[in-house]
Amino acid sequence: MTVPARPTLANCPLRLYPRLIFTPGAAICRSRPTGVSRREMRQAIRILGIDPGLRRTGWGVIDVEGNRLIFVACGSVSSDDKAALAVRLVALHTGLMRVVDEFRPAEAAVEATFVNSDAVATLKLGQARGIALLAPASAGVAVAEYAPNLVKKTIVGAGHGEKAQIRAMIGVLLPKADPRTHDAADALAIAICHAHHRQSAVLRAAAT
């Protein structure tokens, strides 16, 4: 009986991306952007990824050190679904501010709102996303936004990957990460997406 090979960086979907380079001991690597010095690439950049939700907002923190991604921490902030909307938003804001104060990210990334047929649910998600944007921004942290399909494509190689696939790839890309919820895993995926696309995001922000 042939035992399937354990997933590695050499055979994960991210190898399809020409901007990524895989080296021993590195979770994910990115070629040095044009105009960025090697010294700047070696400086660690701490990124906070946020997966907004009114009931539970996931967060994940990683360090980008040169060509390496390093897991720092992850978790989720919850609100009481029986409480008033304003109280729930305050709970999310307070929890995220604690994360920002503890881990001091240099940059943050938030998933864009996915609009569905339930207008009320979409509105509530939008309000939670506003808190997700406000918390790091109020601490002076630059915030980028990414569409859900781009996050999935960056992690699993397809824009419609399932949550289980994302969680499995997080285990490959960040071996030390052990997210207890899908929200935390999604937040780490958003942080990784930003690590891959951050140079373009910085240039777009500078142009506006």
Side-chain angles (χ1 to χ4, degrees):
M1 177 179 177
T2 303
V3 179
R6 182 178 181 275
T8 65
L9 294 172
N11 60 28
C12 72
L14 281 170
R15 74 184 188 280
L16 301 175
Y17 291 83
R19 293 175 63 194
L20 299 175
I21 304 172
F22 300 98
T23 57
I28 174 177
C29 302
R30 185 160 62 99
S31 58
R32 179 163 58 96
T34 302
V36 178
S37 69
R38 294 184 181 276
R39 180 178 180 181
E40 291 174 319
M41 285 296 293
R42 285 196 297 268
Q43 294 177 344
I45 302 295
R46 178 156 292 183
I47 297 173
L48 168 64
I50 304 176
D51 179 42
L54 184 57
R55 181 183 179 187
R56 188 168 53 233
T57 289
W59 59 270
V61 181
I62 64 172
D63 283 343
V64 182
E65 187 175 298
N67 288 333
R68 301 175 59 229
L69 287 187
I70 304 169
F71 169 72
V72 177
C74 67
S76 59
V77 178
S78 301
S79 70
D80 184 356
D81 56 7
K82 296 181 181 179
L85 176 60
V87 174
R88 300 181 69 180
L89 294 176
V90 168
L92 295 179
H93 182 265
T94 301
L96 287 176
M97 287 307 299
R98 288 174 179 168
V99 173
V100 172
D101 289 342
E102 179 177 354
F103 295 102
R104 305 284 181 175
E107 299 173 8
V110 178
E111 189 172 73
T113 301
F114 177 77
V115 179
N116 57 36
S117 58
D118 189 338
V120 175
T122 300
L123 179 60
K124 289 182 178 180
L125 176 59
Q127 291 168 324
R129 202 175 82 86
I131 296 298
L133 294 167
L134 173 64
S138 63
V141 179
V143 183
E145 302 174 60
Y146 296 96
N149 284 352
L150 178 59
V151 175
K152 293 175 182 178
K153 186 174 182 180
T154 302
I155 302 301
V156 302
H160 299 283
E162 300 294 332
K163 286 187 178 294
Q165 292 177 294
I166 294 175
R167 196 180 184 94
M169 285 306 302
I170 291 297
V172 174
L173 300 173
L174 298 171
K176 294 184 178 181
D178 186 22
R180 297 183 179 180
T181 66
H182 286 308
D183 306 277
D186 288 347
L188 287 172
I190 294 165
I192 293 173
C193 178
H194 181 62
H196 178 63
H197 298 284
R198 62 181 296 271
Q199 185 65 17
S200 297
V202 169
L203 291 176
R204 285 197 303 270
T208 58

